[in-house]
Every structure is written in C-alpha cells, then in structure tokens.
Amino acid sequence: LDQIAQSPVHLFDEPLAIAVQGLGPRQQVTLRTSLRDETGELFQASAHYQAGDDGELDLARCPALPGGSFSGLEPMGLLWAMQPQKPFWRLVKRDVQSPFLLQLEAFEGHGERRGRLLAQAQHERAFLRDGVRRVPVREGRIRATLFLPAGEDTFPGIIDIHGYGRGLFEPRASLLASHGFATLALAYYQFDDLPQEPKEFHLEYFEEAVNYMLQHPQVKGPGVGLLGFSKGGEVSLAMAAFLKNITAVASINAPVAATCIPFSYKDKIIPTVTLYEHKAKATNSKFLDYSEVIDDPFQDPGNQSRIPLEKAEAQFLFMVGQDDRVVKSEYYATEVCKLLQAQGKENFQILSYPGTGHCIDPPFFPLYHIGSHPVFHKQAVLGGELMAYSKAQVHAWSQIQAFFKKYLIAN
C-alpha cells in the first residue's frame, strides 16, 4: 500500500490533496485525521469511503459516504470537520514558528470498531512560508510582532487586530505575510507591559502603530490596511473614523459602537453602549445566547457611542455571520452602510455568510460554535454550522486578500 499522498510542507490555510492507492476494487475504508494542539488536546475527524474499481481513492473525486464526520464530495472535509475531544475547546496556535502535525490514517471497513490499519502518513501544516521573517516589535509604546514576506521588496502593509482575549495573536498575521503582505499583529491590552484592565482605549496608541508601519522601509505606502475581528474590528472602525493614512478596513463580525471600554482620541471620547446582561436568552443546548444584550446604537438618535464612520476616508469590507450570536453584526453592517449611502458614499461592501457564527477564522480551523463569551466569561452560543462555516472560511479568506490587494497595491 502506498502512503496517503503528501506534498512538502503546506501552509495551514492551503488545501491538501489526499489519495490512497493500492486498495482492492471498491474496498470500503475509513480515513481519519488527528492533530494535537500545543496543550496536547486532540482534534479528530473521520469519514467513510469506497475505493474505485481500480483500487484508487482520491478525495477530489470520491464522495464520503454517510456515517462519518461529514458526507459528500468534500476533498478538505478531513481538515475542516476536525473537532476537539474535550468539548468546546478552541484550536489556537501560539507559536507560529512551529507547524501543527497532522496524522492521516486509513482503516479497513466502516464498522463501529476500527478495522486493520492499512496506511498512514504525517503532514506538517505550517504558519510561515520559507523566508517569511518574524520580528518582535517594541517601539515606543507598541507591543507587536511584524511579519515580513520573503525578499527585499516593499509590500502592502496590514495591521491585524484581534478580538477580546489576552496577549498577542499571531496566526492570521503570519499567514497573511506568507501571502505577500507586511502584517503587524498588534497587542493592545493584557500583554507584556500594556494595561491589564484599560479604562479606555487611546487611539493614539493605534496611531503610533500606523506610523510605525508607514515608516518601515519594506511597507509600501501611502496608507495601511486594517484587519479586525470582533473587538478588533470595532477598534479598526474607530481608527478609520479618527486617524489618517488608513486606506482599507476589513472588519469581521464587529460592533459599530464602543463596547465595554470607551475610546479616546485627543479631546474626543466615544462612550460605551449599554449592555443588558439580563437580556441573555437560554437555549435548548443549556448555553446562553447573548445576541440581544447590546443596546441598539441606531434606535437612539443622539447616541454618542456609535463610531462616526461617515468621517472615514477608507474603503470598508464588512464580513458578517448571519448566525453570529455575540454581535448582531449583519444588522450593524447593514445600518452603517445605509448611513454611508445616505451621505452619497460608496466606500463599502458587505459579505454576509449564512450558517456562520461569530468566529470566522482562516480556512480549516475547526468550528468554534460554543465557547467562553468574550465579555461575560460564561459558556455561550457563538453560532455557526459546520458545513456552511467551512465554505465561509475559504471564501472570506480569499476575499480579504483580494480586497487588500485591490486597495493597497493599486495606489
């Protein structure tokens, strides 16, 4: 038996060709993938297949049969369908300089009890393409990591801002750099000597990060892009409203008003919108749904907490999950774009994904649909369905890159 086909090291977000050769005609097999995260927690997926008349099994041509983690023609299903053995555990990559190791196994038959092991292979899923440089940044107040693509050229610059959650989050930035963008993964609290519990977010800090990028000899100006998820999207929108040199903002499931922590810039303050924890709803799954707890910034005409995006010069790409249970992101994006349109602006587009919840990660990260709420720290429904989410990940990731190429390289 040949091993499951494997290429050299792939990036985590790139597709993988999987095939098994040397099987019997129409032989039934179960394929299984396994991956352990950096804490040792196990993620797995399995699927039932039948080889062709020639004893070949190529996942690009053979549909999975019912009974496994997924069914149908899904060449990448063994990656996107992986789920943790420990319930509600999220796959996180802290050290992007080492790959995840993926185990692939082929077993005989489709039984409840595993059949004989027929073939196995290991495959590395990397976060840094060869030549990409990882540069820790401590310049002035900035605490960040800069990822530079291979080579001596100048590259379009992006600042990547993650949501609520301590520390510095590097996987998305490292993958973007592997696709040709100089990307700064920016921490903004609970990291190093940054404030643990900030009373407000000073936009001057983020302005310093913009200036750092534009002064870097390998960042192609004249402006930068921002990629923000959840709270990071909210921060990105506030930056676009108040700071110069921001050309393009891709916002993933973000509020459009200040939540929990006010923003300040020079003499201006954006106060926080009210959260009503009692509006959390119980669900069948015994986990709370917090989607209604944020006061609606569009229903109160004098609301000061809404971010004044009409002041921004940037292009906006709003990516929203229709099943987002943390933020009513589709509603917010729609209402904000109506306000922009009413002012004669056309600097926005919305990508709306059905069956997709709050977390939209790069491709092939497992669905994280129930987990700790970023503000209330209780187990909450975050939203999303496996199959729809796997499609949304791939589409959103390609659209993010196309959006930044269009607006950061064209200048």
Side-chain angles (χ1 to χ4, degrees), residues 255-288:
V256 293
T259 57
C260 302
I261 298 169
F263 290 107
S264 70
Y265 184 60
K266 296 181 176 167
D267 54 352
K268 297 189 188 71
I269 297 264
I270 304 184
T272 56
V273 71
T274 310
L275 300 184
Y276 299 103
E277 193 173 354
H278 68 271
K279 288 191 177 177
K281 299 191 294 267
T283 62
N284 304 347
S285 61
K286 316 236 183 339
F287 299 104
L288 291 169

Side-chain angles (χ1 to χ4, degrees), residues 1 30 32 104-108 114-120:
L1 263 178
T30 298
R32 183 174 73 178
L104 299 105
E105 297 162 299
F107 299 99
E108 202 167 47
R114 245 195 349 266
R116 188 166 60 92
L117 179 65
L118 302 173
Q120 61 181 327

Side-chain angles (χ1 to χ4, degrees), residues 114-130:
R114 245 195 349 266
R116 188 166 60 92
L117 179 65
L118 302 173
Q120 61 181 327
Q122 287 192 336
H123 174 76
E124 290 187 340
R125 307 291 289 164
F127 286 81
L128 291 175
R129 208 185 283 292
D130 286 349

Side-chain angles (χ1 to χ4, degrees), residues 159 161 186 203 205-210 224-226 232-244 246 249 263 307 309 312:
I159 300 175
I161 307 178
L186 181 65
L203 290 177
Y205 172 78
F206 299 94
E207 189 169 41
E208 216 172 300
V210 173
V224 297
L226 306 178
E234 178 193 313
V235 169
S236 301
L237 297 175
M239 290 169 71
F242 289 99
L243 307 181
K244 293 186 177 68
I246 290 162
V249 179
F263 290 107
I307 296 163
L309 281 185

Side-chain angles (χ1 to χ4, degrees), residues 225-228 233-243 246-252 254-256 306-319 333 336-337 340-341 345-351 399-400 403-404 406-407:
L226 306 178
L227 173 59
E234 178 193 313
V235 169
S236 301
L237 297 175
M239 290 169 71
F242 289 99
L243 307 181
I246 290 162
T247 305
V249 179
S251 151
I252 301 171
V256 293
R306 186 178 68 73
I307 296 163
L309 281 185
E310 53 278 10
K311 294 183 177 177
E313 298 291 312
Q315 292 289 330
F316 292 104
L317 173 64
F318 295 95
M319 282 158 290
V336 147
C337 292
L340 293 175
Q341 206 164 12
K345 292 186 173 247
E346 295 176 352
N347 59 335
F348 56 85
Q349 62 186 108
I350 300 177
L351 293 174
Q399 294 298 305
I400 287 167
F403 171 73
F404 285 131
K406 178 174 178 181
Y407 291 111

